[in-house]
Amino acid sequence: MDHYPPISRPYNPIQFPYLGGEYDGGDFAGYPSRQQWDTDQLQRGNLQNKSAHDAARFLQTWLYFGMMHEILGIPIVTADFIFVDEHKQRFITTRRLREYLHRWKLQIDRETESQGDALLRRNQRVVDCLDHSYNVWNGLKHLQVDPKIELSIQLLASALEHAVTSICAIDVEDAPWRLSRNDFITERMVKDGWCPTVVEQISSTNHLALQSYASLLGPPHPKLEHENCHAGDHGCAAKNVDERSYVTKHHRVHCKCDDIAVDLDMLRGIVQDGDIPLVHVEYQGSRPLLRILPFRKGMHYTAVSHVWSDGLGNPNHNSLPKCQLQEIVRLIEALPPIQQYSSEGIQFDDRAWRDPLPLKPVAPGEQTMDKQPHYFWMDTLCVPLSPAERRKDAIKSMRSIYSRAIRVLVLDAELMRSPMASNSEEKLTRMTCSTWIRRLWTLQEAALARTVLYQFAEESVIILDDPPTAQVYERFYDNEIGYYSHLFDFSWWKQASVSTELQRIIKVWQALKSRSTSKEADEPFCVATLLDMDLGEFLKVSDTERTKKLWSMHTQLPAAVLFLPGEKLPEENYGWAPASVLNCRNVGIPQSVPATVTPKGLCVTLPGIVFTPSRNAVEAVMACDLEAEIFYIRRNMKLGSPSWKGLNLHERGDLAVILGQNPTANPTERPPLVACIGALVSITKMEGEELFVKYLRMVSVIGKDSRFNKYPNPAWSDVETIEKTRVSSAAYTDVAQKWCVG
């Protein structure tokens, strides 16, 4: 879309065909009847004796030009949104959309409070238009429309919805257009060479406009084979590292220079003494030598954070090719002097595109005032590969290594190919699409750092603190890409500044989103580092026992851990515990309710329901009558959660569902139940007021009268529709029911 911030090298931009329609200027809702179209019939696939081209032209005219006319309330000159190419073909352009939005904002800024009734009517007209247009578009599942036409309508509607929210301060419920999905842009990105897993992560965590903008950046280079990558996976399988076949790369193609290694005896000795090994480069003639020494108070060093799949690792030796080492040193020497990092940060004044964002190009600097050598730490050089005890000693020091560094320099191959001359929106989007930001080990390296610098092609950038969101939102009324890229969360350090342990755990879990690692056994280790746990405890157990060890080392967890998707641990009394720590990134509610980890299970106080299942075999749904209201307990297959196969629920005795609800202000008052997430459990015994239960599955609890029953996602299957008719009786537990979940 031409109103987006420009991209330095746009990749394969989409051209949206103009089909020749001219909006008549009348009211939006009445346009179909004026054009002799029945939208209900159209949604059923009935073209009403017209051609598919006629239908597409009608929809473009109505949902594109008509929507602009209705929402902006100013004359729309169709020619302003059309361009003709050298072949005389006509296409849609939004080059002047921001100009129209600016005129609309000026008009609204002149409104006064005395126009109150008129303003309310205007706002209602705008909301009605957005809702009506979305419902029509969303119902066109049986009509084959050029996907480019569909995408152009979605992207325009998204821009208008954003402007309405910013300018009119209207809360457009659920932001349907901005959060809508488009299979065409997703499939196009995968075909262009993007990883399906990464595309799914981008589309599920960002607005459609931002996915479209990201697609213009082009796929990462070099292109990889993604036949083993699937949407919904934890991460890109093509980026995983196999140490048996790993090849350390040279900085220059076809270079065959020698490797430069550290002194292994000195490295092992420093680590054994509990110190942090630092390296710097000295030259013996033209040959660089790596000098290694222990960190001492007053020394400043840079910690290098990189992605092993980029080729800067070495699984066999603590060495790097000479050309790579010289390039790393060059980049570190070009960083700003230490004194430039003040408590006020580095001021930002970049107006290359339009609006300042909290991103600062960092000019090359000279050596620090005290003329220290450029010390640095890098895992490839500073973590001994053998013996195993020394490697474990180095790993236990990770938290200290990154927190004591004066700065962390991020080296990501894709970012290092990206020009600094681009605008802030492009740089921020490239950063959030980078490989570095999707790897688990790099999370702790950023979260523990004092300052993080991201290396681009010519220089590095630093991100400063965000200004207040309310101010930003109003400023970006005509630039949704600027606003949403501005909201990318690079504030990993905030995980260490929260007030309670539960909040800290939640912050760490949320930071896991879109991240992965080549070795599953590394997952609990990385999380434990962020939570400042004793890493030595993990090194005492086998790789397969690390996840259980992580859960056992907690004293309290957010009760939301019960309502996470994915597989659970098979161990006794740990049936509630996620088998992969990465599943915690999908954390929901309740986050403020504590759950206690004990040898007998997870103990928590939450409301629930108890019932005896129907004696019919069930595959997906159990219906129950709860105080004269019907609720459906539905299997939740989200993100790899297992099916009900093998549970034989109809043969079990008493079942229960622990309800994932936030408590009310009055702890004795039951939260209203419409629909929520739940944990399906089997009751084994009761001791006093505490129910001992075995965890079975995560489920959805759906009220018959709720919109989740009327508009389910996914739609009810034929089997589920039958099972919904088999209703058994149920009862609420106490509001403060005590559970011990094993």
Side-chain angles (χ1 to χ4, degrees):
M1 299 294 276
D2 304 315
H3 66 288
Y4 288 166
I7 286 178
S8 52
R9 296 191 299 265
Y11 182 89
N12 196 16
I14 301 172
Q15 289 190 315
F16 302 100
Y18 170 62
L19 302 182
E22 188 79 30
Y23 192 68
D24 63 7
D27 72 286
F28 182 78
Y31 183 75
S33 61
R34 294 196 301 272
Q35 299 298 314
Q36 288 79 51
W37 282 97
D38 183 327
T39 55
D40 290 337
Q41 291 297 320
L42 197 58
Q43 288 179 325
R44 297 187 182 100
N46 184 352
L47 294 177
Q48 303 155 62
N49 298 319
K50 300 181 179 72
S51 69
H53 179 81
D54 291 337
R57 181 172 56 194
F58 158 71
L59 290 171
Q60 184 183 70
T61 306
W62 183 34
L63 298 181
Y64 195 94
F65 294 100
M67 192 190 310
M68 267 197 294
H69 176 274
E70 184 78 359
I71 289 177
L72 301 184
I74 56 179
I76 304 296
V77 179
T78 304
D80 288 343
F81 294 87
I82 298 170
F83 83 92
V84 181
D85 69 4
E86 65 274 16
H87 305 295
K88 306 300 182 183
Q89 291 183 298
R90 295 186 296 176
F91 297 93
I92 292 285
T93 177
T94 54
R95 193 169 291 115
R96 299 191 65 180
L97 176 62
R98 298 179 68 191
E99 176 187 327
Y100 274 76
L101 293 176
H102 181 63
R103 285 164 51 194
W104 184 48
K105 185 176 187 300
L106 290 177
Q107 177 179 299
I108 289 177
D109 288 345
R110 289 193 293 266
E111 294 172 346
T112 64
E113 292 184 6
S114 62
Q115 298 173 279
D117 289 342
L119 299 185
L120 290 175
R121 287 193 298 272
R122 189 275 315 283
N123 288 353
Q124 190 59 53
R125 185 191 76 236
V126 166
V127 171
D128 289 346
C129 177
L130 289 170
D131 287 344
H132 185 43
S133 60
Y134 180 77
N135 290 332
V136 170
W137 173 84
N138 197 42
L140 295 171
K141 306 301 182 185
H142 301 290
L143 188 67
Q144 296 296 319
V145 178
D146 184 338
K148 294 179 181 179
I149 300 294
E150 287 194 41
L151 180 60
S152 67
I153 291 171
Q154 284 179 270
L155 295 178
L156 173 71
S158 176
L160 294 175
E161 190 176 80
H162 173 78
V164 165
T165 307
S166 304
I167 297 172
C168 303
I170 299 174
D171 183 16
V172 181
E173 186 177 0
D174 297 330
W177 281 112
R178 282 170 286 176
L179 295 177
S180 63
R181 295 288 168 251
N182 185 281
D183 292 340
F184 168 72
I185 192 70
T186 295
E187 292 167 3
R188 190 174 189 266
M189 291 177 73
V190 172
K191 186 177 179 180
D192 283 343
W194 289 77
C195 171
T197 307
V198 173
V199 173
E200 191 273 336
Q201 290 170 350
I202 294 172
S203 65
S204 63
T205 57
N206 296 299
H207 291 82
L208 177 63
L210 213 48
Q211 182 188 358
S212 178
Y213 186 72
S215 73
L216 296 174
L217 303 178
H221 294 281
K223 289 187 178 181
L224 302 173
E225 296 297 327
H226 295 287
E227 65 272 8
N228 295 320
C229 300
H230 309 282
D233 291 349
H234 283 323
C236 175
K239 288 287 186 178
N240 289 339
V241 169
D242 184 348
E243 294 185 357
R244 295 168 298 181
S245 57
Y246 188 87
V247 176
T248 303
K249 294 182 180 178
H250 288 255
H251 179 61
R252 292 179 292 273
V253 180
H254 306 307
C255 178
K256 295 182 179 180
C257 64
D258 293 335
D259 282 5
I260 308 296
V262 300
D263 185 310
L264 287 180
D265 290 335
M266 291 190 65
L267 172 61
R268 291 165 180 160
I270 292 170
V271 172
Q272 186 173 10
D273 292 341
D275 292 322
I276 298 173
L278 301 180
V279 295
H280 70 98
V281 173
E282 294 179 355
Y283 281 87
Q284 194 174 71
S286 61
R287 178 176 174 79
L289 299 175
L290 272 175
R291 299 300 187 193
I292 187 166
L293 71 167
F295 168 78
R296 291 292 180 260
K297 186 177 180 179
M299 296 173 68
H300 298 142
Y301 68 93
T302 301
V304 176
S305 178
H306 65 103
V307 180
W308 268 58
S309 60
D310 286 343
L312 288 177
N314 190 332
N316 301 312
H317 306 284
N318 291 110
S319 64
L320 280 172
K322 172 184 173 182
C323 60
Q324 285 285 24
L325 189 60
Q326 290 176 320
E327 176 63 10
I328 291 170
V329 171
R330 183 188 72 79
L331 295 175
I332 292 174
E333 290 178 347
L335 296 176
I338 301 302
Q339 290 76 10
Q340 192 167 334
Y341 299 116
S342 68
S343 59
E344 299 177 356
I346 302 175
Q347 297 302 309
F348 175 79
D349 187 25
D350 177 10
R351 299 180 183 272
W353 157 235
R354 176 182 181 275
D355 297 297
L357 287 174
L359 192 68
K360 172 63 183 175
V362 179
E366 299 177 354
Q367 283 195 335
T368 56
M369 295 283 288
D370 53 9
K371 301 297 182 182
Q372 286 189 12
H374 291 281
Y375 299 120
F376 67 98
W377 184 96
M378 186 177 181
D379 58 353
T380 308
L381 302 173
C382 300
V383 176
L385 298 172
S386 65
E389 288 304 311
R390 297 293 79 77
R391 181 171 178 80
K392 290 179 180 180
D393 290 340
I395 292 173
K396 284 190 288 186
S397 302
M398 286 297 173
R399 185 178 183 89
S400 176
I401 290 167
Y402 284 96
S403 59
R404 290 185 179 181
I406 196 66
R407 59 199 168 195
V408 169
L409 176 63
V410 173
L411 302 182
D412 175 280
E414 189 66 19
L415 292 182
M416 293 171 72
R417 277 189 288 268
S418 303
M420 266 298 299
S422 57
N423 56 66
S424 297
E425 290 92 338
E426 179 180 343
K427 286 194 280 283
L428 286 168
T429 304
R430 286 190 183 279
M431 288 162 63
T432 204
C433 292
S434 67
T435 300
W436 179 87
I437 213 170
R438 298 184 183 281
R439 303 306 288 178
L440 186 56
W441 277 104
T442 60
L443 172 59
Q444 62 177 4
E445 296 164 8
L448 300 174
R450 303 185 199 180
T451 304
V452 181
L453 295 160
Y454 301 84
Q455 185 66 47
F456 278 71
E458 303 91 350
E459 53 190 332
S460 58
V461 300
I462 182 173
I463 299 178
L464 305 182
D465 293 344
D466 294 341
T469 300
Q471 298 176 15
V472 174
Y473 204 80
E474 183 177 352
R475 190 172 79 229
F476 287 105
Y477 71 91
D478 61 348
N479 179 9
E480 60 179 327
I481 301 300
Y483 177 72
Y484 292 116
S485 63
H486 175 88
L487 292 184
F488 289 146
D489 186 7
F490 297 102
S491 317
W492 301 288
W493 57 269
K494 290 181 181 177
Q495 63 86 19
S497 62
V498 293
S499 57
T500 70
E501 182 63 18
L502 289 187
Q503 290 175 338
R504 190 165 172 228
I505 292 170
I506 290 291
K507 181 66 180 176
V508 169
W509 287 359
Q510 291 172 335
L512 301 177
K513 190 172 289 293
S514 301
R515 291 182 181 267
S516 64
T517 182
S518 300
K519 299 179 181 178
E520 190 173 325
D522 289 344
E523 296 174 11
F525 207 96
C526 294
V527 171
T529 302
L530 290 168
L531 294 174
D532 201 15
M533 290 180 165
D534 182 359
L535 301 184
E537 291 297 311
F538 291 90
L539 299 174
K540 296 177 182 177
V541 300
S542 66
D543 288 357
T544 57
E545 295 176 301
R546 281 186 184 176
T547 302
K548 179 183 176 182
K549 172 59 71 174
L550 175 69
W551 297 122
S552 69
M553 290 177 66
H554 283 285
T555 54
Q556 280 195 335
L557 288 167
V561 73
L562 280 173
F563 312 106
L564 292 170
E567 296 282 351
K568 308 298 179 183
L569 290 180
E571 281 86 352
E572 181 92 12
N573 299 330
Y574 283 87
W576 54 269
S580 170
V581 183
L582 295 184
N583 287 332
C584 296
R585 58 188 170 192
N586 303 299
V587 62
I589 61 172
Q591 297 182 4
S592 60
V593 176
T596 305
V597 181
T598 74
K600 61 185 180 180
L602 186 74
C603 297
V604 66
T605 300
L606 283 172
I609 58 177
V610 294
F611 63 98
T612 301
S614 165
R615 290 308 165 196
N616 298 99
V618 290
E619 292 185 18
V621 174
M622 292 181 289
C624 59
D625 185 331
L626 190 61
E627 296 185 355
E629 291 186 83
I630 302 298
F631 286 88
Y632 305 117
I633 300 166
R634 189 186 194 191
R635 68 175 179 177
N636 192 308
M637 301 292 283
K638 186 178 181 182
L639 299 175
S641 296
S643 72
W644 289 2
K645 186 177 181 180
L647 289 181
N648 298 320
L649 296 174
H650 63 292
E651 297 177 359
R652 293 179 181 265
D654 290 336
L655 296 178
V657 175
I658 306 173
L659 300 176
Q661 294 179 297
N662 282 321
T664 61
N666 181 353
T668 63
E669 181 180 311
R670 185 182 307 284
L673 180 59
V674 178
C676 72
I677 207 74
L680 177 65
V681 296
S682 176
I683 301 172
T684 57
K685 64 179 179 178
M686 188 168 190
E687 290 185 1
E689 297 179 348
E690 188 172 28
L691 279 172
F692 283 73
V693 297
K694 178 179 175 59
Y695 185 94
L696 297 178
R697 295 290 188 270
M698 181 176 108
V699 295
S700 300
V701 181
I702 302 170
K704 181 179 180 180
D705 297 327
S706 72
R707 65 185 179 92
F708 300 98
N709 178 40
K710 296 176 183 177
Y711 308 105
N713 183 22
W716 297 110
S717 68
D718 292 340
V719 170
E720 289 176 316
T721 301
I722 294 172
E723 291 181 342
K724 287 169 66 179
T725 64
R726 300 168 183 161
V727 181
S728 58
S729 60
Y732 284 111
T733 66
D734 290 340
V735 175
Q737 177 63 53
K738 295 179 180 178
W739 309 84
C740 184
V741 187

